[in-house]
Amino acid sequence: MALPSILVVDDEPHNFDVIEALLFDKSYNLNYASNGAEAIQSLELIQPDVILLDVMMPGINGIEICRQIKAIEKWRMVPIIIVTALNRKEDLAQCFEAGADDFISKPINKIELRARVNSMLRIKQHYDLLQSSLERQAALEKEKVEASLKESENRYASLASVVPVGIFRLDLDGHCLYVNDHWSYITGMSADESEGLGWLNGIHPEDRLTVARQWYDATKIGTVLLSLECRFLGSKDNTIWVIGQSVLERNEHGQMTGFVGTITDITERKEAQKNLLYNSLHDPLTSLANRTLLIKTLEVAIAKASVSESYQYAVLFLDLDRFKVINDSLGHLFGDQLLQNVAQKLQSHLKPTDLIARIGGDEFVILLEDIAGDEDVLQVVQKILHQFQTSTVINGHEVFITTSIGLVFGNSHYKKANDLIRDADIALYRAKSAGKATYRLFDARMHTQAVNRLNLETQLRKAFERDEFVLHYQPIMDIFKKQLVGFEALVRWQHPTRGLILPSEFIPITEETGMILRLDDWVINESCRQLSDWRNRFPNHFPLKISVNLSVQDLRAANLVSSIESSLSKTGLSGDCITLEITESMLIDNIHKTIDLLNQLREKNIHISIDDFGTGYSSLKYLHLLPADYLKIDRSFVSRMAEENRDYQVVNTIINLSNQLGVAVIAEGIETNQQLKWLEKLGCEFGQGYFFSKPLPASEIEQLLFQFN
């Protein structure tokens, strides 16, 4: 008995050696082809029972080779196992669409390889036995062509009793002469209903023309073996997928008399392939389209717009405002339910021709097709923004969440889907920068600015390596004693070509990219080093303190306390030498966790200052719990002060509040002598601003210290 023949198609001979080693026990006849053309040319010589096919090959890849082999009728039923390192659902879906019967993931496991090869061999053997049986039956038909139709039917009935597939027999005109019980079980059609051309009525209407055409072509050219897939309507309106194979019958004179064949139910396999394809194109959480399907659909829209001036479309890029805060506070399960709720809301505004995709996290993209004009799109945008102004209740929790939207209109300049998404994302960034819960329309200037911002981000990363950051120090004065008490450390970027860049230009980028943690760590270390140096050189001025600003990301960092302790230890400073400034708005994200963290810092004698007080959203309910040493009056109130006006009263209220809480108060932005007198009259203890000094580099601060030494 001949050994099963296996053809291994791989451009790397080493991979064949691996497979040969895994399968070597003299149970298989292994053959090797280095590319698709060589594999197809060797089919007749090798007569493979199974083909192991690599995907990633130069020239024609494995998927196309699979498609070409399956297009050759003689080799259509030879099982093909894809051997690949690809594991994405869309890649595997392509393999199955090309006709692959199974796949093995790399690196190859010996047990899995043998199991899958043997499984495919059993399927092939079953098919060969069936085909052989059918051919023998056809030979008997030739010898007994004069026998009665009844005898022929009995003969097919005998075969049907031992083969668990649907069996049929047709004449050259396509009239059904015989079906077995399993045919009726699969198709839901009785023998009487299938008689004549009645069997065509059981085929799905969308497949009837294809089946009839292939049948007609087979009879005209004398196809020896016909194989096709189609759908039957089945019983109870259940659509059944079948694969039908038939062989040509001839009489003793060699004339064609009809076909005899089988059908096999492949519905489960088709459903599995359909589900695999669906999953590769949809988001599992919301069932919306994913990025892959979005890109494909956008490419179609771009193509439509290129050939039709009347076709217009638009792309909306949405991002949920403060979603991370809600997700972190109420948990990821709640966050997932919120995203599902948002998906339903967004779908309510769309036409059947529109597409909505979730492309990651809390980001959604909407494609609006066949729009009549700009107003149609703006109406959709306004409806979405309006709907997000109302609260959402999930599992008893009422939450308010808004969305920001970037909008771009498609035009003839767009050739790639990713360019549309990029520009909509740029417009979204502008919407968020404008205060969120709004939208912005993309224009070309935005792209230029985004490119400049990307370049600035790249240069920022290099700035760490090149040590381009410097600190300037703004003096903090005791208003009543007219005495220097410390400095606020303010970072600057000494750019090699642009000169000194202020933090307002680069700090937002460091916060978005996460570089802020590295930058703030440097600021704390450098501030402590500088203060320690001044302490040694100007002992008469101490105890002077240094104030450092923290970001919200610093408060979330697990190592904040230990990192500050390390800086103090290295420079020989005590905790009361440093004041950490946090803005009032930073307190609202997780007030209880923030209070715990600030208490840990206070235990190290590190001082805490609440910056920009009066501009944020902190609740007086929690203010008395905050372990703060200072409240810092925002410069906006100081700059607008006039005697007894509203801002004057706000400053007065903050000072009175600080007295009741037992904390000191610092006014920033003092620029005139009159402002200083009002603050002194109201009892403000400390101040800083251009009236005293602008932020200065360390060398100029040292000149001041020499003067007062």
Side-chain angles (χ1 to χ4, degrees):
M1 181 176 178
L3 295 177
S5 176
I6 299 176
L7 174 60
V8 180
V9 186
D10 197 306
D11 62 306
E12 295 186 16
H14 170 71
N15 290 337
F16 172 78
D17 295 338
V18 172
I19 293 174
E20 185 178 37
L22 293 175
L23 291 178
F24 182 73
D25 63 355
K26 301 183 179 180
S27 299
Y28 311 94
N29 179 18
L30 292 177
N31 301 274
Y32 172 69
S34 61
N35 55 59
E38 183 180 329
I40 293 174
Q41 292 172 3
S42 64
L43 290 175
E44 286 291 344
L45 178 63
I46 296 173
Q47 297 286 319
D49 297 297
V50 172
I51 298 174
L52 295 175
L53 179 59
D54 185 33
V55 174
M56 306 305 292
M57 291 189 290
I60 305 176
N61 64 30
I63 294 176
E64 182 56 32
I65 296 170
C66 178
R67 186 176 287 111
Q68 291 185 18
I69 292 175
K70 289 294 185 178
I72 303 173
E73 190 156 345
K74 182 175 181 179
W75 307 112
R76 185 173 297 170
M77 298 312 298
V78 174
I80 295 180
I81 303 175
I82 296 292
V83 182
T84 178
L86 302 174
N87 56 15
R88 296 191 311 163
K89 293 179 179 178
E90 50 265 41
D91 294 325
L92 298 178
Q94 281 189 322
C95 294
F96 284 123
E97 285 180 342
D101 300 277
D102 203 349
F103 75 95
I104 298 174
S105 299
K106 291 181 179 179
I108 302 172
N109 177 277
K110 177 178 181 179
I111 296 175
E112 181 186 15
L113 176 64
R114 286 175 172 273
R116 293 187 182 273
V117 167
N118 289 335
S119 175
M120 289 297 106
L121 284 173
R122 285 193 296 271
I123 293 174
K124 178 65 164 54
Q125 288 168 358
H126 172 77
Y127 170 77
D128 289 342
L129 287 173
L130 175 61
Q131 183 176 1
S132 176
S133 176
L134 292 173
E135 289 174 350
R136 287 197 302 272
Q137 192 62 38
L140 289 173
E141 182 68 16
K142 292 177 185 178
E143 296 174 1
K144 300 179 179 180
V145 67
E146 290 87 6
S148 66
L149 180 61
K150 180 64 176 177
E151 290 175 331
S152 178
E153 289 176 349
N154 289 338
R155 192 161 56 250
Y156 285 107
S158 175
L159 177 63
S161 65
V162 296
V163 180
V165 293
I167 294 180
F168 63 89
R169 181 169 176 253
L170 305 177
D171 64 18
L172 290 177
D173 294 323
H175 292 89
C176 181
L177 306 177
Y178 168 82
V179 294
N180 71 343
D181 291 341
H182 210 71
W183 159 283
S184 298
Y185 174 76
I186 293 174
T187 64
M189 301 180 69
S190 66
D192 291 340
E193 291 171 329
S194 305
E195 188 177 353
L197 295 176
W199 65 280
L200 283 171
N201 296 326
I203 295 178
H204 195 285
E206 295 177 7
D207 294 346
R208 285 175 190 164
L209 183 60
T210 300
V211 171
R213 181 179 292 117
Q214 290 193 37
W215 186 264
Y216 176 80
D217 292 342
T219 58
K220 290 302 179 184
I221 64 177
T223 303
V224 176
L225 176 65
L226 177 64
S227 178
L228 58 86
E229 294 180 359
C230 66
R231 289 166 291 177
F232 272 85
L233 296 175
S235 58
K236 300 180 181 179
D237 297 325
N238 293 324
T239 300
I240 305 298
W241 273 98
V242 303
I243 181 170
Q245 295 109 11
S246 59
V247 292
L248 183 65
E249 289 187 305
R250 298 179 185 272
N251 60 22
E252 71 274 19
H253 304 296
Q255 298 172 327
M256 296 185 297
T257 58
F259 289 85
V260 60
T262 66
I263 60 170
T264 305
D265 187 343
I266 59 170
T267 305
E268 286 189 9
R269 190 189 84 186
K270 282 291 186 179
E271 285 298 317
Q273 292 177 357
K274 178 181 176 182
N275 291 336
L276 183 62
L277 182 61
Y278 179 89
N279 292 336
S280 70
L281 298 174
H282 291 81
D283 170 49
L285 177 64
T286 62
S287 296
L288 299 177
N290 62 12
R291 180 182 286 272
T292 301
L293 182 54
L294 172 67
I295 294 294
K296 292 179 182 295
T297 310
L298 285 175
E299 288 172 347
V300 173
I302 292 171
K304 286 182 183 177
S306 67
V307 298
S308 173
E309 293 183 0
S310 62
Y311 174 78
Q312 299 182 62
Y313 66 97
V315 176
L316 280 60
F317 200 129
L318 294 84
D319 181 89
L320 303 183
D321 303 323
R322 296 182 65 249
F323 174 76
K324 189 177 189 308
V325 175
I326 295 174
N327 204 36
D328 291 345
S329 302
L330 298 177
H332 294 286
L333 178 60
F334 183 91
D336 288 347
Q337 292 174 319
L338 179 59
L339 290 172
Q340 291 170 335
N341 181 277
V342 167
Q344 293 173 1
K345 281 185 177 181
L346 294 176
Q347 286 177 305
S348 67
H349 299 288
L350 306 183
K351 307 187 302 292
T353 55
D354 299 330
L355 178 77
I356 175 172
R358 177 178 175 236
I359 61 173
D362 58 333
E363 294 180 333
F364 299 84
V365 174
I366 297 175
L367 168 62
L368 301 176
E369 295 201 72
D370 290 316
I371 57 177
D374 296 358
E375 285 301 318
D376 283 356
V377 178
L378 295 179
Q379 285 180 11
V380 173
V381 170
Q382 293 295 349
K383 286 179 181 179
I384 292 174
L385 292 174
H386 178 73
Q387 187 176 33
F388 276 84
Q389 291 175 1
T390 59
S391 65
T392 300
V393 179
I394 298 176
N395 293 340
H397 292 280
E398 183 179 20
V399 294
F400 286 86
I401 189 162
T402 56
T403 185
S404 301
I405 304 175
L407 168 61
V408 59
F409 286 98
N411 57 54
S412 58
H413 297 296
Y414 285 108
K415 307 299 181 184
K416 297 180 179 179
N418 282 323
D419 291 346
L420 280 163
I421 297 175
R422 177 203 63 202
D423 290 350
D425 192 15
I426 292 172
L428 168 65
Y429 175 80
R430 284 304 184 87
K432 282 191 168 294
S433 300
K436 304 178 182 179
T438 187
Y439 80 95
R440 284 295 181 269
L441 174 63
F442 175 81
D443 61 46
R445 288 175 300 173
M446 290 184 182
H447 184 218
T448 302
Q449 291 166 350
V451 172
N452 292 337
R453 181 184 176 280
L454 181 61
N455 291 334
L456 193 63
E457 179 185 333
T458 302
Q459 294 167 14
L460 259 175
R461 297 186 185 279
K462 294 179 180 178
F464 285 100
E465 302 169 7
R466 298 170 180 172
D467 197 22
E468 293 174 354
F469 295 108
V470 296
L471 289 181
H472 283 196
Y473 302 88
Q474 186 168 39
I476 300 174
M477 305 295 294
D478 186 315
I479 291 178
F480 295 105
K481 295 180 181 179
K482 305 298 186 290
Q483 182 179 344
L484 178 69
V485 294
F487 305 95
E488 180 179 359
L490 299 166
V491 68
R492 304 288 189 261
W493 179 10
Q494 189 64 54
H495 194 277
T497 58
R498 294 178 54 189
L500 204 63
I501 300 178
L502 295 178
S504 58
E505 186 171 350
F506 66 86
I507 288 296
I509 299 177
T510 65
E511 289 177 334
E512 291 173 20
T513 59
M515 288 188 282
I516 189 67
L517 291 174
R518 184 178 178 185
L519 181 60
D520 285 351
D521 186 62
W522 178 86
V523 170
I524 292 171
N525 277 290
E526 178 62 17
S527 299
C528 290
R529 185 204 63 78
Q530 185 63 74
L531 184 62
S532 177
D533 178 61
W534 287 338
R535 187 177 206 175
N536 293 329
R537 295 167 57 194
F538 307 101
N540 294 337
H541 282 290
F542 285 83
L544 291 177
K545 301 179 185 296
I546 199 82
S547 294
V548 178
N549 294 282
L550 294 184
S551 74
V552 67
Q553 293 186 42
D554 291 315
L555 296 183
R556 294 173 183 161
N559 65 336
L560 175 63
V561 176
S562 60
S563 178
I564 295 174
E565 277 190 298
S566 175
S567 297
L568 293 171
S569 176
K570 285 187 295 186
T571 54
L573 297 177
S574 58
D576 59 359
C577 292
I578 188 169
T579 298
L580 302 177
E581 297 193 8
I582 61 174
T583 61
E584 184 184 5
S585 58
M586 288 163 58
L587 301 173
I588 65 172
D589 280 351
N590 193 332
I591 185 69
H592 294 292
K593 186 175 181 180
T594 302
I595 290 173
D596 290 341
L597 176 63
L598 298 184
N599 278 321
Q600 292 179 49
L601 293 167
R602 280 293 299 275
E603 289 174 2
K604 311 295 181 183
N605 293 322
I606 297 169
H607 291 184
I608 305 297
S609 176
I610 309 301
D611 198 6
D612 300 337
F613 192 79
T615 63
Y617 310 95
S618 63
S619 170
L620 295 178
K621 169 184 174 184
Y622 295 108
L623 193 56
H624 73 284
L625 298 175
L626 289 170
D629 299 279
Y630 304 97
L631 294 183
K632 204 166 189 181
I633 302 172
D634 187 68
R635 68 181 65 249
S636 62
F637 298 121
V638 175
S639 65
R640 295 194 299 262
M641 281 179 67
E643 193 163 14
E644 301 302 329
N645 76 345
R646 185 171 184 176
D647 291 291
Y648 184 95
Q649 296 301 333
V650 169
V651 173
N652 185 35
T653 300
I654 295 174
I655 294 172
N656 289 332
L657 178 62
S658 70
N659 291 332
Q660 294 175 24
L661 294 173
V663 299
V665 63
I666 305 173
E668 62 180 357
I670 302 172
E671 297 185 354
T672 67
N673 187 50
Q674 182 61 67
Q675 291 170 348
L676 179 62
K677 288 181 178 180
W678 282 329
L679 291 167
E680 190 174 5
K681 176 183 176 181
L682 293 173
C684 181
E685 300 168 76
F686 303 102
Q688 65 185 96
Y690 276 44
F691 178 77
F692 301 113
S693 172
K694 66 179 182 179
L696 300 172
S699 59
E700 295 185 32
I701 290 294
E702 290 172 4
Q703 293 177 14
L704 291 177
L705 294 176
F706 273 120
Q707 292 175 13
F708 294 103
N709 197 7

